[in-house]
Amino acid sequence: ETGVTQTPRHLVMGMTNKKSLKCEQHLGHNAMYWYKQSAKKPLELMFVYNFKEQTENNSVPSRFSPECPNSSHLFLHLHTLQPEDSALYLCASSQVRTGGPSYNEQFFGPGTRLTVL
Amino acid sequence: LAKTTQPISMDSYEGQEVNITCSHNNIATNDYITWYQQFPSQGPRFIIQGYKTKVTNEVASLFIPADRKSSTLSLPRVSLSDTAVYYCLVGPLNTGFQKLVFGTGTRLLVSP
């Protein structure tokens, strides 16, 4: 148990559906991340929210829309996805420290296994 | 960020020591070496981090030679539950969030 929960754990959706992935962290962290892990490919960073502000968007298609209403919750809204978007979507959080460089260990949730038909 | 090279897979037996080596020839002066572990259907988990020489914690040891162009993660007396993918990451400490760049990792299979 890492302190980061994700729901649902599994999701099957059609290409015309709209769904949302939810992530919640119970660690008091101030940064949250979405990653995508496709079969046979490395983890790819999708979005970063730092103090609820989106600070990174790694050229992610607009059919993926993140939302961070507060520092504990992160959503990934999905619409008109393609079969190649099928993957494990992982959420992570970390505590960003100020006052100088430091390593901010990321704590990952269990992921949502998404299948797009 | 420095590119890393790891073996794709390794096999071991319970009770053995496992050493996974990572090459990072272009490591920069301010880069640190970090290892994450990922079990099937779970997110990665931080194992250990170091800059030079040797670092040890309750899970593993990390050996880094003087030139820092490679590093070795050592898992003492592995068990079946150590079957996982192990990622070597190289990058600087940041004043902000940490941008992790994962490679393909090393898939370790521990057999009885």
Side-chain angles (χ1 to χ4, degrees):
Chain A
E1 187 62 46
T2 62
V4 180
T5 59
Q6 290 187 243
T7 54
R9 293 295 308 275
H10 301 271
L11 178 63
V12 179
M13 60 186 289
M15 290 191 285
T16 58
N17 291 158
K18 289 185 179 181
K19 297 287 184 184
S20 295
L21 309 185
K22 178 183 176 182
C23 174
E24 182 174 0
Q25 57 98 358
H26 311 272
L27 302 168
H29 289 165
N30 52 25
M32 297 187 76
Y33 313 75
W34 279 117
Y35 288 85
K36 175 184 178 182
Q37 187 171 34
S38 305
K40 303 186 190 306
K41 290 180 69 175
L43 259 77
E44 304 170 66
L45 178 64
M46 299 175 72
F47 301 104
V48 180
Y49 276 82
N50 201 0
F51 293 98
K52 300 187 297 179
E53 298 297 322
Q54 187 181 128
T55 53
E56 189 91 3
N57 177 339
N58 268 2
S59 303
V60 180
S62 59
R63 57 185 183 270
F64 295 90
S65 175
E67 178 190 1
C68 188
N70 54 61
S71 58
S72 299
H73 294 86
L74 185 64
F75 294 89
L76 188 62
H77 303 300
L78 318 170
H79 64 97
T80 58
L81 294 191
Q82 305 298 312
E84 59 264 29
D85 296 323
S86 298
L88 181 68
Y89 288 86
L90 291 158
C91 172
S93 71
S94 71
Q95 181 62 23
V96 174
R97 297 175 181 84
T98 57
S102 63
Y103 186 77
N104 310 308
E105 176 186 342
Q106 290 187 22
F107 293 79
F108 285 80
T112 295
R113 174 72 60 187
L114 174 67
T115 302
V116 182
L117 302 176
Chain B
L1 297 174
K3 179 179 170 60
T4 60
T5 303
Q6 304 175 234
I8 294 174
S9 63
M10 294 182 68
D11 294 318
S12 183
Y13 294 96
E14 284 189 290
Q16 289 189 332
E17 178 185 72
V18 171
N19 296 307
I20 306 174
T21 298
C22 178
S23 297
H24 28 80
N25 292 317
N26 298 321
I27 190 168
T29 303
N30 59 341
D31 283 343
Y32 281 69
I33 300 152
T34 309
W35 286 79
Y36 276 75
Q37 172 193 55
Q38 185 178 20
F39 297 115
S41 299
Q42 293 187 30
R45 182 180 72 134
F46 172 90
I47 302 176
I48 197 166
Q49 182 188 60
Y51 183 80
K52 61 181 179 181
T53 62
K54 177 184 175 182
V55 180
T56 297
N57 61 23
E58 64 277 5
V59 176
S61 294
L62 179 59
F63 299 91
I64 306 168
D67 66 5
R68 302 198 331 120
K69 294 185 183 299
S70 67
S71 58
T72 299
L73 175 72
S74 180
L75 305 173
R77 297 180 299 282
V78 294
S79 64
L80 297 177
S81 62
D82 291 316
T83 293
V85 179
Y86 292 83
Y87 297 96
C88 167
L89 293 83
V90 173
L93 301 185
N94 288 323
T95 54
F97 68 88
Q98 210 77 30
K99 186 173 180 178
L100 301 182
V101 178
F102 288 84
T104 51
T106 297
R107 189 173 298 276
L108 173 66
L109 176 62
V110 180
S111 301

